[in-house]
């Protein structure tokens, strides 16, 4: 039996379409499909600590508990999803891959991400630390990084548990990053993190503020002299997507307004967009803070020069010298 040529062409195109759909995401993108119970609608933020998301921060819309997101991806990268309660969850992206996220909005720590080896490795790590102490979490992170230096999960864990913490462990971080770099020689995120940690030490109490000159969001000069201009200055790292940091920024700015000029705030904004930073400062009623935002997020110059590594990190400076680090507002 013979089919007309147009029917054969239509059949071929239909089969080709089904094949392409079954293959999922194309080789230059990564996609997420998710479902969360107990969350009907809302939105999440997503950014990459590797600096790989265009515009710095994207938004994921949630409808009827379901959401999807597709991003350009030509190399493995880490995505951070920021949920409405400001908790963060990493998702490890690979070109041409897709993952499924399932969980309960009231138990986000038990969320699972399936579809790639790295994400399933992270699922295992989450299960290990569900009831662990901070010290035990660090041990689990170090052990996983040692056992799986070829995985992008290892880089994330080094940053999260050894670098971006109130008590960084740069010696262990450098040791692990060297091992990771040997297995991932072309991973630029690993190289940047190694550069950030190389020879770095947290400023110790009593140390003088190092010399620097940068510009605030209004183009005015900010230098080490700025940090000695009043008796007490607090340098605080903050970002619009981190609730704890914005709450602390507001509290500090309120104290500065009522201090009679004896107390000042210098903010280092880790948002990628300077204009968005300005809008947030107005919203937070924190426009009296001197604010530096170079758009480089955790790779920013001043953030790293001062040895800062966490949100909401802070340094208390009195008469030009470090008086304390990572204090709560009442102690300051």
């Amino acid at each position: 039996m013979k089919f007309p040529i147009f029917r054969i062409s239509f059949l071929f195109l239909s089969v080709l379409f089904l094949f392409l759909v079954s293959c999922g995401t194309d080789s230059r993108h990564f996609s997420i499909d998710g479902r969360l119970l107990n969350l009907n609608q809302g939105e999440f933020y997503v950014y990459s600590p590797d600096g790989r998301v265009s515009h710095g921060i994207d938004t994921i819309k949630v409808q009827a508990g379901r959401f999807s997101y597709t991003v350009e991806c030509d190399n493995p990268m880490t995505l951070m999803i920021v949920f409405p309660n400001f908790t963060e969850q990493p998702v490890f992206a690979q070109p041409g891959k897709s993952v499924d996220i399932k969980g309960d909005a009231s138990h986000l720590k038990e969320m699972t991400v399936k579809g790639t080896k790295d994400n399933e490795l992270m699922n295992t790590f989450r299960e290990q630390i569900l009831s662990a102490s901070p010290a035990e979490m660090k041990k689990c992170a170090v052990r996983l990084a040692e056992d799986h230096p070829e995985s992008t999960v290892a880089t994330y864990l080094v940053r999260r548990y050894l670098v971006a913490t109130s008590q960084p462990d740069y010696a262990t971080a450098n040791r692990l990053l060297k091992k990771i770099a040997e297995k991932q020689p072309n991973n630029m995120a690993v190289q940047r993190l190694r550069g950030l940690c190389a020879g770095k030490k947290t400023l110790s109490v009593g140390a003088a503020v190092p010399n620097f000159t940068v510009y605030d969001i209004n183009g005015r000069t900010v230098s080490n002299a700025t940090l000695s201009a009043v008796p007490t200055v607090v340098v605080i790292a903050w970002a619009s997507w981190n609730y704890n940091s914005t709450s602390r920024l507001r509290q500090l700015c309120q104290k500065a307004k009522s201090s009679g000029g004896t107390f000042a705030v210098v903010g280092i904004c880790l948002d990628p967009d300077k204009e968005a930073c300005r809008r947030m400062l107005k919203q937070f009623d924190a426009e009296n803070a001197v604010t530096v935002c170079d758009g480089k997020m955790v790779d920013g110059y001043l953030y790293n020069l001062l040895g800062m590594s966490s949100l909401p990190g802070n340094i208390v400076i009195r008469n030009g010298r470090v008086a304390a680090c990572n204090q709560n507002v009442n102690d300051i």
Side-chain angles (χ1 to χ4, degrees):
M1 181 176 180
K2 295 183 177 180
F3 291 94
I5 293 177
F6 78 90
R7 288 190 178 180
I8 296 174
S9 299
F10 178 78
L11 180 62
F12 172 76
L13 291 173
S14 298
V15 173
L16 178 62
F17 173 77
L18 290 172
F19 173 76
L20 291 174
V21 170
S22 67
C23 290
T25 308
D26 66 66
S27 62
R28 297 189 62 186
H29 289 81
F30 171 80
S31 65
I32 296 172
D33 286 304
R35 183 179 182 183
L36 288 179
L37 300 175
N38 296 313
L39 179 66
N40 185 41
Q41 60 183 329
E43 63 181 27
F44 308 148
Y45 294 119
V46 59
Y47 72 96
S48 172
D50 308 334
R52 302 283 301 284
V53 172
S54 59
H55 310 299
I57 299 176
D58 282 344
T59 302
I60 301 176
K61 299 289 185 181
V62 182
Q63 294 290 340
R66 296 181 179 273
F67 58 93
S68 61
Y69 176 69
T70 299
V71 63
E72 290 185 7
C73 179
D74 52 13
N75 283 291
M77 65 178 180
T78 302
L79 299 174
M80 298 299 298
I81 298 179
V82 186
F83 293 105
N85 65 353
F86 293 96
T87 61
E88 296 184 1
Q89 295 286 355
V91 175
F92 302 97
Q94 292 181 1
K97 301 293 185 179
S98 61
V99 296
D100 292 317
I101 296 179
K102 292 183 179 180
D104 187 322
S106 59
H107 298 89
L108 289 173
K109 289 183 179 180
E110 299 175 18
M111 185 185 77
T112 60
V113 184
K114 295 184 177 180
T116 68
K117 182 179 178 180
D118 283 345
N119 285 294
E120 290 173 6
L121 183 62
M122 189 65 195
N123 290 339
T124 301
F125 177 77
R126 285 197 196 97
E127 292 173 1
Q128 291 175 345
I129 66 169
L130 271 178
S131 58
S133 67
E136 291 169 338
M137 291 180 187
K138 178 181 174 181
K139 288 180 180 178
C140 289
V142 170
R143 183 163 59 247
L144 188 145
E146 288 176 333
D147 293 344
H148 299 277
E150 77 290 347
S151 172
T152 52
V153 179
T155 309
Y156 165 77
L157 293 178
V158 169
R159 182 190 286 275
R160 168 66 179 82
Y161 291 96
L162 299 176
V163 179
T165 175
S166 60
Q167 295 181 319
D169 183 351
Y170 292 116
T172 304
N174 283 316
R175 175 177 64 80
L176 291 172
L177 287 170
K178 180 180 179 181
K179 188 174 182 179
I180 293 169
E182 291 172 354
K183 295 292 185 179
Q184 304 180 52
N186 298 319
N187 189 327
M188 296 307 297
V190 176
Q191 299 303 329
R192 284 196 296 271
L193 189 55
R194 288 191 77 188
L196 183 152
C197 294
K200 187 172 180 179
K201 296 181 179 179
T202 303
L203 288 179
S204 58
V205 174
V209 176
N211 293 331
F212 69 89
T213 300
V214 296
Y215 296 94
D216 71 5
I217 58 173
N218 298 310
R220 294 174 298 203
T221 300
V222 179
S223 69
N224 49 298
T226 307
L227 305 186
S228 305
V230 298
T232 301
V233 177
V234 176
V235 181
I236 177 171
W238 67 276
S240 62
W241 35 264
N242 184 280
Y243 174 77
N244 288 336
S245 69
T246 57
S247 175
R248 191 162 298 180
L249 176 69
R250 284 196 294 267
Q251 291 176 291
L252 290 172
C253 286
Q254 289 170 1
K255 286 183 177 292
K257 286 180 181 179
S258 61
S259 71
T262 61
F263 179 85
V265 179
V266 174
I268 301 177
C269 177
L270 301 189
D271 281 15
D273 185 341
K274 191 179 295 185
E275 291 305 316
C277 173
R278 286 196 182 95
R279 290 193 297 270
M280 288 295 177
L281 287 171
K282 187 174 182 179
Q283 178 182 330
F284 301 153
D285 191 26
E287 294 176 285
N288 61 321
V290 175
T291 304
V292 175
C293 179
D294 60 13
K296 296 181 180 179
M297 302 177 76
V298 294
D299 291 325
Y301 170 73
L302 187 58
Y303 179 76
N304 287 290
L305 178 72
L306 297 179
M308 304 183 81
S309 57
S310 62
L311 284 174
N314 64 68
I315 301 174
V316 181
I317 297 170
R318 292 195 175 96
N319 301 316
R321 292 188 174 273
V322 177
C325 296
N326 299 316
Q327 299 290 292
N328 63 46
V329 174
N330 291 330
D331 288 341
I332 294 171

